[in-house]
Amino acid sequence: MRIDENEGVSASSKHLVFAYYVTGHGFGHATRVVEVARHLIAAGHDVHVVTGAPDFVFTSEIQSPRLKIRKVLLDCGAVQADALTVDRLASLEKYVETAVVPRAEILKTEVEWLHSIKADFVVSDVVPVACRAAADAGIRSVCVTNFSWDFIYAEYVMAAGYHHRSIVWQIAEDYSHCEFLIRLPGYCPMPAFRDVIDVPLVVRRLHKTRKEVRKELGIAEDVNVVILNFGGQPSGWNLKETSLPTGWLCLVCGASETLELPPNFVKLAKDAYTPDIIAASDCMLGKIGYGTVSEALSYKVPFVFVRRDYFNEEPFLRNMLEFYQCGVEMIRRDLLMGQWKPYLERAVSLKPCYEGGINGGEIAAHILQETAIGRHCASDKLSGARRLRDAIILGYQLQRVPGRDIAIPEWYSRAENELGQSAGSSPTVQANENNSLVESCTDDFDILQGDVQGLSDTWAFLKSLAMLDDFHDSAKSTEKKTMRERKAAGGLFNWEEEIFVARAPGRLDVMGGIADYSGSLVLQMPIREACHVAVQRNHPGKHRLWKHAQARQQAKGQVPTPVLQIVSYGSEISNRAPTFDMDLSDFMDGDEPISYEKARKFFAQDPAQKWAAYVAGTILVLMIELGVRFEDSLSFLVSSAVPEGKGVSSSAAVEVASMSAIAAAHGLSIDPRDLAILCQKVENHIVGAPCGVMDQMTSSCGEANKLLAMICQPAEVVGLVEIPNHVRFWGIDSGIRHSVGGADYGSVRVGAYMGRKMIKSMASSILSQSVSSANGGNSDELEDEGIDLLEMEASLDYLCNLSPHRYEARYADKVPDTMLGQTFIEEYLDHDDPVTVIDGKRSYSVRAPARHPIYENFRVKTFKALLTSATSEEQLTALGGLLYQCHYSYSACGLGSDGTNRLVQLVQGMQHNKSKSEDGTLYGAKITGGGSGGTVCVIGRNSLRSSQQILEIQQRYKAATGYLPLIFEGSSPGAGKFGYLRIRRRISL
């Protein structure tokens, strides 16, 4: 149809030429560009669209000579393996191929083209290089979007390795050249933009009424209709007639011509106008994207969604859906198995309540027109890359400039603040607060066994259990902001049965860190923040199942069988599902438990639920390692105040608390050391993270206000070291998300094991030559070399058993700086590490990762000896110096980060800028754990002045980066010392 020239934006007296760049990621961006472009064209302007999308996306809606289409692809978006899965590494590699390698030629070509069409203004949704090309051409530009690619790619960098980080910086710098951002609802944080204007939803208009659409399709008004909208039918799906409730009809978008459908499924025509179909349906089943969400909200159509892997836009759109009572989440497994009924029935019971504007296209076009003719003034330019470098939220905590805090949605800030308050809270609070909690909880529960030990976080957890009935009843409430996980938890427990509660803290890595897997001595402190897990056993016939779990069992025609249901708090600020459930029979292969490899694949098939491996994995480990069999159903509630991604062992706390609780519920007596080793198996073999054992050992075996001293060969606790009264440790979070599952940690571990294999090979060669020389009569040379020493080095189990002086004397100059994986495999066959795999195409750093644990072991031993020596300024200075040495050794391995380096520099500044009349209070700092971000450990005097300086560092870091770091201080008991609680709810008569 032809556009009405009098429609929409008021015509301008000046004819303008807009160049409108569209990202290559799917059609969603192109369809919303259509809405903005048609209003610009209606106002009398020319719009040149630069896109890789098919012409019909634009020409089916706009038939006007003012629309010009130029088929050029200048970015690639996210590369998808299928409709639900993003390939993170492939996305980065494709972006390099598409936009980085030919960058100079792209800029030259685009500048020439912009001049050739006499462009007055450039609009980008949301192609980074378009903003830079506009700046080079001397043309103003604006972005229109709900997300930016720097934010999306940031998490991919976490997985693919920091050698890709320059991609994110360049994208941010490109965006910073545009004047401002026209921001759409459901937006992600976008710190590269220095100013913002918010507009309503940009939604495609309807052409036909619901009645007209149904009449054309031959569907009666009383038939419930779901539209299946995944942007193309994924391969391998088996659509079944039984997937739908009786009497329902499913309209399938994008189905192949050869696909055979059940009788209650209808294939839509390729050119079907999707907005009309959505508005005529009773609900939609699909994946979250801006287009589907905006249309579901606008037309008040409930949306049953399945999460996509690794697409950071999704949590923000999902929150908007749920806020307006328009979203129901479906587990991927149930989607693929055709267990749709409970989700669809739930969806049609919703009352979508979005009443906001849907004319964002018209308003955005008006803003663009007014800006292009000079009626909008942009603020001064600030470097987007500078604001972004240390930033990571869900992969990139955003940098903000003081006074321009435009990047964080209100709901996210609120959730983030709640997490910060929770993570920073002390288990020992004011007496009156503690007494109030105690009185309340003792009214709610009988504590049949165990001792809360005065820990207010445990009292608070018990209180939260008592309040679950309120959340269970909240389905009857009109309160829109009740968290989904708390609603799910409300129906989790049978209050007539006993519940078992365990508690396990996170840890602060004082010394040792990544040297744990090389057998080092480590010193670790359990922190105040902890994870609580509540577990209940129930006979399968009495277990309160969620509706979709009931439907799954009914579909199998089973009598009630044991089911595992887990609720995990904290999903609001991470892209993971809040609940998980499975039949415990899925852990069995005949009469035997499934292998760890099968379990890893089982949990990896849906990354949104991969978190459940940390909890459910404890069950399988107990089955395999201890022969335990689980005949009852299990309900888990996980509530952790140990923040994720901060390098303080949030995963170990979850594992240890989960296994402690399930052991208590089943009467298993497991020594804390043995429990830690079992939990390490969960992380290594089921989760697939190549961590050492120190995290689990500290969480299980640690004691409050003591350092756990452990030799990781594999887990020998050598004692608890009292922290002297004059010494104090703090943790300061950098905001850079840390992950032991990230590529950098794994590659450094591979490099260390490569180095060990090389040293063993060299020692074997020297030993062989020495023995030959001895047989030839030169026994003095053999004695000088030390046959016992060489034999030990030829069979070296741990790098830390090699002394620094021996390493320097015999091997240091022979270990290469780097080596290609394939070269190593050809020469040495394998690196003998059971939890990492060598990538033959990758070049690994070897010398620095091999050297680090050898020297770190020496540093930790020295630190331990100094800690128990006489108190003096020299003692504290030496302790701090060892922390600094460790920090710079991490950096040499490639495990540093801008944020942690900045914090260490701030500590150094405090230490060295003190006045002559003032005693030093802070003495050293180091990056912790797996590195590449996370938390910095600081050592100082136990004094008020030290605490003041820590707070000053916190504020200085915020001033420099926009991020207010969490501070970890204080300590609490490990899981072994805490034991467990056996409780029963008091039932009011």
Side-chain angles (χ1 to χ4, degrees):
M1 69 179 197
R2 187 167 296 278
I3 287 179
D4 180 355
E5 297 291 331
N6 296 318
E7 177 186 355
V9 179
S10 299
S12 169
S13 59
K14 181 180 179 181
H15 170 263
L16 299 169
V17 176
F18 289 89
Y20 210 137
Y21 288 82
V22 188
T23 188
H25 182 74
F27 290 173
H29 296 266
T31 56
R32 73 187 184 198
V33 166
V34 167
E35 276 301 299
V36 180
R38 75 180 185 87
H39 285 289
L40 289 172
I41 290 171
H45 307 303
D46 287 355
V47 179
H48 294 252
V49 176
V50 183
T51 180
D55 288 3
F56 76 81
V57 175
F58 303 93
T59 57
S60 61
E61 188 70 3
I62 306 173
Q63 293 95 39
S64 170
R66 296 186 187 280
L67 173 68
K68 321 287 184 182
I69 299 176
R70 175 172 170 245
K71 300 303 288 292
V72 177
L73 189 64
L74 298 179
D75 68 359
C76 62
V79 176
Q80 295 186 221
D82 57 43
L84 296 174
T85 306
V86 171
D87 188 325
R88 292 172 289 179
L89 181 56
S91 298
L92 294 173
E93 291 174 344
K94 185 67 174 178
Y95 188 84
V96 170
E97 176 188 330
T98 305
V100 176
V101 173
R103 179 177 173 82
E105 184 61 31
I106 288 173
L107 288 171
K108 178 176 179 293
T109 301
E110 293 311 301
V111 169
E112 291 174 353
W113 177 74
L114 289 169
H115 285 152
S116 72
I117 66 169
K118 297 181 172 57
D120 296 297
F121 205 79
V122 171
V123 189
S124 179
D125 183 357
V126 62
V127 181
V129 75
C131 304
R132 177 57 186 269
D136 289 354
I139 302 171
R140 300 158 70 196
S141 65
V142 163
C143 285
V144 182
T145 187
N146 65 304
F147 74 86
S148 55
W149 286 112
D150 49 354
F151 179 75
I152 301 299
Y153 285 158
E155 187 179 17
Y156 302 178
V157 170
M158 291 289 297
Y162 277 94
H163 53 286
H164 288 289
R165 79 180 90 185
S166 61
I167 293 174
V168 177
W169 295 349
Q170 184 63 71
I171 291 173
E173 189 64 44
D174 283 348
Y175 286 144
S176 72
H177 289 286
C178 84
E179 288 198 18
F180 60 89
L181 166 68
I182 296 178
R183 188 169 62 180
L184 307 179
Y187 58 85
C188 300
M190 293 178 278
F193 301 99
R194 62 185 183 276
D195 204 355
V196 63
I197 298 176
D198 285 308
V199 299
L201 289 173
V202 176
V203 185
R204 290 183 286 178
R205 58 183 176 173
L206 297 178
H207 295 166
K208 299 173 183 176
T209 65
R210 171 187 169 101
K211 187 174 182 179
E212 289 171 336
V213 172
R214 286 190 169 232
K215 183 177 181 180
E216 285 185 7
L217 294 174
I219 302 172
E221 278 296 316
D222 60 349
V223 174
N224 281 318
V225 174
V226 56
I227 176 172
L228 185 64
N229 188 9
F230 278 91
Q233 183 67 29
S235 61
W237 280 26
N238 181 22
L239 300 177
K240 299 182 293 186
E241 184 176 357
T242 55
S243 297
L244 305 179
T246 303
W248 278 59
L249 193 66
C250 180
L251 306 178
V252 183
C253 296
S256 67
E257 295 180 1
T258 58
L259 182 68
E260 294 186 6
L261 297 177
N264 52 351
F265 285 71
V266 175
K267 193 181 305 182
L268 291 171
K270 291 288 185 183
D271 60 352
Y273 188 60
T274 310
D276 285 348
I277 307 294
I278 293 174
S281 301
D282 296 287
C283 64
M284 176 164 52
L285 171 57
K287 61 184 180 182
I288 286 180
Y290 181 83
T292 52
V293 169
S294 63
E295 286 162 3
L297 290 171
S298 300
Y299 311 139
K300 294 184 170 57
V301 175
F303 188 178
V304 179
F305 61 87
V306 181
R307 298 190 190 217
R308 284 187 289 177
D309 306 342
Y310 313 121
F311 201 72
N312 289 358
E313 173 193 21
E314 187 173 285
F316 301 88
L317 293 171
R318 185 175 69 241
N319 183 273
M320 187 166 65
L321 265 182
E322 293 172 350
F323 182 86
Y324 291 110
Q325 300 288 288
C326 199
V328 174
E329 180 174 352
M330 178 184 285
I331 299 170
R332 182 181 301 195
R333 179 179 69 242
D334 288 342
L335 171 74
L336 299 177
M337 294 179 63
Q339 303 293 334
W340 300 0
K341 290 181 183 179
Y343 302 99
L344 300 179
E345 290 167 348
R346 166 65 178 151
V348 294
S349 72
L350 296 180
K351 305 294 183 185
C353 56
Y354 180 77
E355 300 293 345
I358 58 173
N359 61 336
E362 179 182 349
I363 293 175
H366 177 74
I367 294 169
L368 292 172
Q369 174 184 278
E370 295 301 290
T371 304
I373 62 178
R375 293 181 184 167
H376 180 86
C377 296
S379 52
D380 293 336
K381 206 171 281 186
L382 293 171
S383 167
R386 178 178 64 80
R387 283 183 280 162
L388 195 70
R389 275 190 191 186
D390 291 335
I392 297 186
I393 288 178
L394 302 177
Y396 233 54
Q397 170 59 57
L398 310 171
Q399 301 290 39
R400 283 98 80 187
V401 173
R404 298 185 184 278
D405 197 4
I406 65 171
I408 308 297
E410 179 187 353
W411 71 268
Y412 191 96
S413 296
R414 184 169 59 253
E416 189 182 35
N417 290 339
E418 288 172 359
L419 176 66
Q421 291 164 7
S422 172
S425 63
S426 166
T428 51
V429 296
Q430 297 279 334
N432 57 345
E433 295 178 12
N434 201 37
N435 290 339
S436 175
L437 277 172
V438 172
E439 290 172 7
S440 174
C441 293
T442 51
D443 287 342
D444 296 320
F445 289 101
D446 288 320
I447 299 179
L448 307 175
Q449 187 172 348
D451 183 0
V452 176
Q453 300 181 23
L455 296 168
S456 66
D457 61 342
T458 302
W459 285 120
F461 177 70
L462 295 178
K463 183 61 180 175
S464 74
L465 284 179
M467 294 172 64
L468 289 180
D469 277 345
D470 297 334
F471 285 103
H472 188 50
D473 293 338
S474 66
K476 306 169 187 174
S477 169
T478 58
E479 174 58 48
K480 292 184 288 188
K481 295 303 293 178
T482 302
M483 292 184 292
R484 281 194 302 140
E485 61 252 29
R486 294 189 184 270
K487 285 185 179 180
L492 193 62
F493 296 119
N494 180 347
W495 296 119
E496 296 178 358
E497 302 294 334
E498 294 176 350
I499 297 174
F500 294 81
V501 176
R503 177 189 186 278
R507 67 96 187 95
L508 181 65
D509 167 34
V510 175
M511 288 292 288
I514 59 165
D516 62 343
Y517 55 70
S518 293
S520 179
L521 173 69
V522 298
L523 297 174
Q524 309 293 307
M525 184 180 81
I527 59 176
R528 284 180 174 179
E529 292 72 26
C531 173
H532 288 84
V533 173
V535 170
Q536 185 179 71
R537 298 172 60 179
N538 277 293
H539 185 277
K542 297 181 179 179
H543 197 199
R544 300 169 67 176
L545 293 180
W546 296 317
K547 288 184 178 179
H548 64 269
Q550 284 179 335
R552 187 173 64 241
Q553 290 216 342
Q554 290 168 1
K556 293 179 179 179
Q558 294 176 335
V559 297
T561 57
V563 172
L564 169 65
Q565 294 187 150
I566 307 172
V567 176
S568 174
Y569 289 165
S571 65
E572 279 195 342
I573 55 173
S574 62
N575 192 17
R576 60 179 173 85
T579 63
F580 174 84
D581 63 274
M582 63 177 288
D583 294 341
L584 284 174
S585 59
D586 290 340
F587 274 156
M588 298 297 293
D589 185 0
D591 295 330
E592 297 296 323
I594 63 173
S595 67
Y596 287 139
E597 182 181 0
K598 285 184 178 179
R600 185 164 61 249
K601 291 178 180 178
F602 175 83
F603 288 107
Q605 63 189 351
D606 185 355
Q609 293 193 318
K610 187 177 179 180
W611 62 268
Y614 294 100
V615 183
T618 61
I619 295 173
L620 182 62
V621 167
L622 290 172
M623 292 170 67
I624 292 175
E625 304 298 332
L626 300 186
V628 181
R629 293 295 179 266
F630 297 91
E631 306 297 334
D632 288 334
S633 289
L634 295 169
S635 297
F636 276 75
L637 177 62
V638 181
S639 177
S640 183
V642 186
E644 299 174 31
K646 306 300 184 184
V648 289
S649 300
S650 58
S651 60
V654 170
E655 292 156 358
V656 171
S658 297
M659 189 171 286
S660 298
I662 197 168
H666 290 80
L668 303 175
S669 179
I670 305 175
D671 179 79
R673 176 186 177 276
D674 294 337
L675 187 137
I677 294 173
L678 291 171
C679 288
Q680 186 198 17
K681 291 182 183 293
V682 175
E683 190 142 0
N684 285 173
H685 302 306
I686 300 177
V687 176
C691 70
V693 74
M694 72 177 189
D695 298 354
Q696 291 83 2
M697 288 292 290
T698 309
S699 188
S700 183
C701 305
E703 293 187 19
N705 301 311
K706 296 178 182 179
L707 300 182
L708 181 75
M710 181 180 70
I711 297 174
C712 302
Q713 300 190 16
E716 179 189 349
V717 175
V718 294
L720 293 161
V721 181
E722 292 277 357
I723 300 173
N725 291 333
H726 67 288
V727 174
R728 193 169 188 177
F729 296 100
W730 296 265
I732 308 178
D733 159 42
S734 68
I736 309 295
R737 188 172 178 85
H738 151 89
S739 171
V740 296
D744 291 280
Y745 176 90
S747 64
V748 169
R749 176 166 175 150
V750 169
Y753 274 82
M754 282 179 167
R756 188 191 66 153
K757 187 68 173 276
M758 292 176 186
I759 289 170
K760 290 174 67 176
S761 178
M762 285 185 268
S764 295
S765 179
I766 297 167
L767 182 62
S768 178
Q769 293 171 11
S770 298
V771 170
S772 298
S773 298
N775 291 337
N778 191 356
S779 59
D780 290 340
E781 182 178 333
L782 181 59
E783 290 177 5
D784 290 341
E785 190 62 55
I787 190 167
D788 291 342
L789 197 57
L790 284 170
E791 286 177 344
M792 184 277 291
E793 291 162 359
S795 59
L796 191 66
D797 288 331
Y798 298 95
L799 274 173
C800 291
N801 290 338
L802 186 64
S803 65
H805 72 268
R806 179 65 177 173
Y807 169 75
E808 293 292 344
R810 175 52 69 182
Y811 305 109
D813 60 346
K814 297 181 180 65
V815 176
D817 286 335
T818 61
M819 179 172 280
L820 187 68
Q822 187 59 42
T823 303
F824 179 88
I825 292 170
E826 290 171 357
E827 186 170 350
Y828 298 99
L829 298 180
D830 190 18
H831 63 325
D832 300 331
D833 180 12
V835 297
T836 58
V837 177
I838 296 174
D839 181 351
K841 297 179 181 179
R842 183 164 187 174
S843 179
Y844 292 92
S845 175
V846 179
R847 180 176 294 172
R851 185 181 190 274
H852 173 81
I854 295 169
Y855 277 84
E856 182 71 358
N857 189 46
F858 178 80
R859 285 190 288 265
V860 181
K861 289 179 178 178
T862 306
F863 189 96
K864 181 173 178 287
L866 279 170
L867 201 60
T868 56
S869 66
T871 303
S872 67
E873 182 74 9
E874 289 74 18
Q875 176 210 29
L876 290 168
T877 301
L879 289 168
L882 291 168
L883 262 66
Y884 288 136
Q885 288 179 30
C886 174
H887 178 78
Y888 293 117
S889 184
Y890 262 73
S891 296
C893 292
L895 292 175
S897 75
D898 296 324
T900 50
N901 287 344
R902 186 190 295 274
L903 285 169
V904 170
Q905 290 164 7
L906 287 170
V907 172
Q908 288 176 328
M910 287 285 184
Q911 179 182 358
H912 299 304
N913 292 338
K914 65 180 185 293
S915 65
K916 292 182 179 179
S917 61
E918 188 180 46
D919 288 337
T921 58
L922 301 182
Y923 290 89
K926 63 177 277 287
I927 195 170
T928 62
S932 297
T935 295
V936 162
C937 174
V938 181
I939 187 173
R941 285 188 184 276
N942 187 9
S943 67
L944 178 61
R945 176 60 181 153
S946 295
S947 296
Q948 291 171 340
Q949 288 185 323
I950 292 293
L951 294 175
E952 188 174 343
I953 288 171
Q954 181 190 44
Q955 293 301 321
R956 288 187 182 184
Y957 190 80
K958 181 184 179 183
T961 69
Y963 175 74
L964 183 68
L966 295 174
I967 295 176
F968 301 98
E969 59 179 328
S971 185
S972 68
K977 201 71 174 176
F978 178 82
Y980 65 89
L981 303 178
R982 181 166 61 92
I983 63 175
R984 179 180 281 125
R985 182 71 182 269
R986 289 184 175 180
I987 306 298
S988 300
L989 299 178

